[in-house]
Amino acid sequence: MTEHSFGQAFRDEFEELLAWRRDVRHFKTDSVPADLVEHLLDLTSLAPSVGNAQPWRFVSVDEPARRAAIIENFSQANAAALSNYDGERAELYARLKLAGLREAPRHFAVFCDETTAQGSGLGRLTMPETLRYSTVLAIHTLWLAARARGLGLGWVSIIDPAQATATLDVPASWRFVAYLCLGFPAGDHIEPELQRKGWQSREAVCRQVLPR
């Protein structure tokens, strides 16, 4: 073990944290302490990023009019998504709760600044998409940090990115990556909701490693 290795108790708890991380759609409306939110956002700066560019930009969506526009955006996108299914699959989709936009006390839109000078282009000249990958790693860091403190995070992917970007009036060089809901979960389940509701279970195929 090196000087900064972690003991078995920590490793066990970390595995438990990974198992209990959930995409939360059911939130309590209780407010989240502002200093806790700020601390969680500070922790995202520890996420890995290509060239240490840290291209993620978090936008706190607090104005009622902007939130209402985002909710309408989701409603339209969700209706369009439903139209892609039919029969029993459509009926099941219609019953799923796919966002906690109305209940979650905090909303964040996450963008990637693809023109950031930080990092001086290191590591992204051949694969510029690694800036967005870095932004996703920041989101995952926030996800785990929030869960470790009893908070839930929900990623709303059923949304029109261009419309959301226009609603939030951000710099033109920023690219929409995610819309997040943050708050205390209304319930605790170790099984993913989509698995509990019969939409999709976890499959071992993602564990396959192909020899070459």
Side-chain angles (χ1 to χ4, degrees), residues 31-51:
S31 62
V32 181
D35 58 341
L36 175 55
V37 175
E38 290 303 311
H39 180 59
L40 292 175
L41 292 175
D42 285 342
L43 290 176
T44 66
S45 67
L46 301 177
S49 64
V50 61

Side-chain angles (χ1 to χ4, degrees), residues 24-100:
V24 176
R25 292 91 180 269
H26 303 269
F27 292 93
K28 297 178 181 178
T29 57
D30 308 52
S31 62
V32 181
D35 58 341
L36 175 55
V37 175
E38 290 303 311
H39 180 59
L40 292 175
L41 292 175
D42 285 342
L43 290 176
T44 66
S45 67
L46 301 177
S49 64
V50 61
N52 202 23
Q54 296 180 294
W56 46 83
R57 305 290 182 261
F58 283 75
V59 176
S60 182
V61 184
D62 305 313
E63 293 181 8
R66 294 189 197 272
R67 283 201 183 188
I70 291 294
I71 291 172
E72 178 59 24
N73 183 336
F74 166 79
S75 297
Q76 293 176 7
N78 195 41
L82 174 59
S83 69
N84 285 293
Y85 301 101
D86 51 34
E88 292 182 0
R89 204 61 168 170
E91 293 176 5
L92 176 55
Y93 183 96
R95 292 196 299 270
L96 295 173
K97 181 174 173 55
L98 298 173

Side-chain angles (χ1 to χ4, degrees), residues 10-178:
F10 175 85
R11 293 195 293 270
D12 291 343
E13 288 192 336
F14 180 68
E15 291 183 11
E16 186 177 0
L17 173 62
L18 293 177
W20 277 94
R21 185 213 56 79
R22 293 273 63 81
D23 185 8
V24 176
R25 292 91 180 269
H26 303 269
F27 292 93
K28 297 178 181 178
T29 57
D30 308 52
S31 62
V32 181
D35 58 341
L36 175 55
V37 175
E38 290 303 311
H39 180 59
L40 292 175
L41 292 175
D42 285 342
L43 290 176
T44 66
S45 67
L46 301 177
S49 64
V50 61
N52 202 23
Q54 296 180 294
W56 46 83
R57 305 290 182 261
F58 283 75
V59 176
S60 182
V61 184
D62 305 313
E63 293 181 8
R66 294 189 197 272
R67 283 201 183 188
I70 291 294
I71 291 172
E72 178 59 24
N73 183 336
F74 166 79
S75 297
Q76 293 176 7
N78 195 41
L82 174 59
S83 69
N84 285 293
Y85 301 101
D86 51 34
E88 292 182 0
R89 204 61 168 170
E91 293 176 5
L92 176 55
Y93 183 96
R95 292 196 299 270
L96 295 173
K97 181 174 173 55
L98 298 173
L101 290 164
R102 298 184 185 278
E103 303 87 3
R106 296 300 301 266
H107 289 201
F108 290 96
V110 188
F111 295 84
C112 175
D113 182 358
E114 299 190 338
T115 62
T116 181
Q118 186 161 328
S120 301
L122 191 155
R124 65 181 194 252
L125 296 178
T126 51
M127 293 182 64
E129 63 270 25
T130 52
L131 284 172
R132 297 192 193 187
Y133 299 161
S134 299
T135 302
V136 172
L137 285 169
I139 294 168
H140 190 244
T141 300
L142 174 62
W143 221 328
L144 292 178
R147 185 65 188 90
R149 288 158 179 81
L151 288 166
L153 193 73
W155 185 329
V156 184
S157 61
I158 306 170
I159 198 167
D160 181 270
Q163 187 177 329
T165 300
T167 294
L168 300 173
D169 191 25
V170 298
S173 62
W174 293 10
R175 294 292 175 264
F176 183 88
V177 175

